[in-house]
Amino acid sequence: MSNPLDELYREIILDHYRAPRGKQPISKVDITSDGQNPSCGDEIAVQVTMDDGTVKDVHVDCKGCAISVASGSMLAEYTKGKSLEEVKKIVGAVKSMLKGDESEIPAELADLDALKGVRKFPVRIKCALLAWMTLIEGLKNYENGKGGHQKTVSTEDEE
Ligand code: ZN
């Protein structure tokens, strides 16, 4: 039997935590969204450069625990180069997986599998969800033509 804590902090998680992807600031910000996870104290800012309906660049600035930072790093890595529709599918698949259904995680997003460990720690699921919830809110506002100031996403609002 493996220790659930070992599973939570798998090597992939620690690798993303130590060297988060998407750290570099982006020059053109089309989508911006902030989020927070009060139960853990994680805070995140997600910015996206769009190009012809495709995510051209992603900047993620996350101040929080290893899980929230690693999840944000995976978001930066996996959404870059994807269309908005593809991004929505990925976010949907991540949410389903964190809730126990892993049937929809495509093979090329294999690192996301490492986040499964949080399912044994319900309070940490929100840490893993934070980045994705924040991105989706930004996308929604972008598609509705609402840029600029918007409310900070909170994991407490998750339905
Ligand atoms: Zn956290």
Side-chain angles (χ1 to χ4, degrees), residues 37 40 42 65 68 124 127:
N37 178 30
C40 181
D42 312 315
C65 66
S68 64
R124 308 309 296 279
C127 302

Side-chain angles (χ1 to χ4, degrees), residues 4-156:
L5 267 180
D6 289 345
E7 242 175 90
L8 181 63
Y9 295 111
R10 279 166 55 176
E11 198 50 46
I12 295 170
I13 300 274
L14 295 176
D15 176 62
H16 279 276
Y17 178 58
R18 290 185 193 117
R21 290 26 157 201
K23 272 220 101 150
Q24 305 78 7
I26 51 179
S27 52
K28 178 172 163 280
V29 178
D30 296 307
I31 297 174
T32 179
S33 186
D34 297 328
Q36 59 184 14
N37 178 30
S39 60
C40 181
D42 312 315
E43 291 181 5
I44 196 167
V46 179
Q47 297 180 332
V48 177
T49 305
M50 293 298 296
D51 182 27
D52 199 20
T54 299
V55 172
K56 192 178 170 207
D57 216 346
V58 186
H59 171 61
V60 175
D61 184 12
C62 183
K63 293 179 180 63
C65 66
I67 302 296
S68 64
V69 172
S71 192
S73 171
M74 289 181 200
L75 178 147
E77 181 167 342
Y78 287 137
T79 56
K80 206 168 156 175
K82 300 286 196 301
S83 71
L84 286 185
E85 287 313 307
E86 287 172 314
V87 169
K88 282 184 212 164
K89 265 190 207 146
I90 294 170
V91 177
V94 172
K95 282 187 170 179
S96 306
M97 180 195 74
L98 291 175
K99 286 171 183 158
D101 171 14
E102 53 205 74
S103 57
E104 292 173 60
I105 293 288
E108 75 262 27
L109 308 181
D111 279 12
L112 289 170
D113 189 67
L115 290 175
K116 277 191 331 202
V118 302
R119 294 191 310 212
K120 292 199 179 79
F121 304 87
V123 72
R124 308 309 296 279
I125 292 176
K126 287 178 177 178
C127 302
L129 270 177
L130 175 64
W132 309 89
M133 285 179 67
T134 303
L135 174 68
I136 276 294
E137 182 70 18
L139 289 190
K140 258 193 245 160
N141 288 316
Y142 175 74
E143 289 187 311
N144 294 335
K146 282 188 257 162
H149 300 287
Q150 47 198 264
K151 71 179 177 85
T152 299
V153 177
S154 172
T155 52
E156 299 300 311

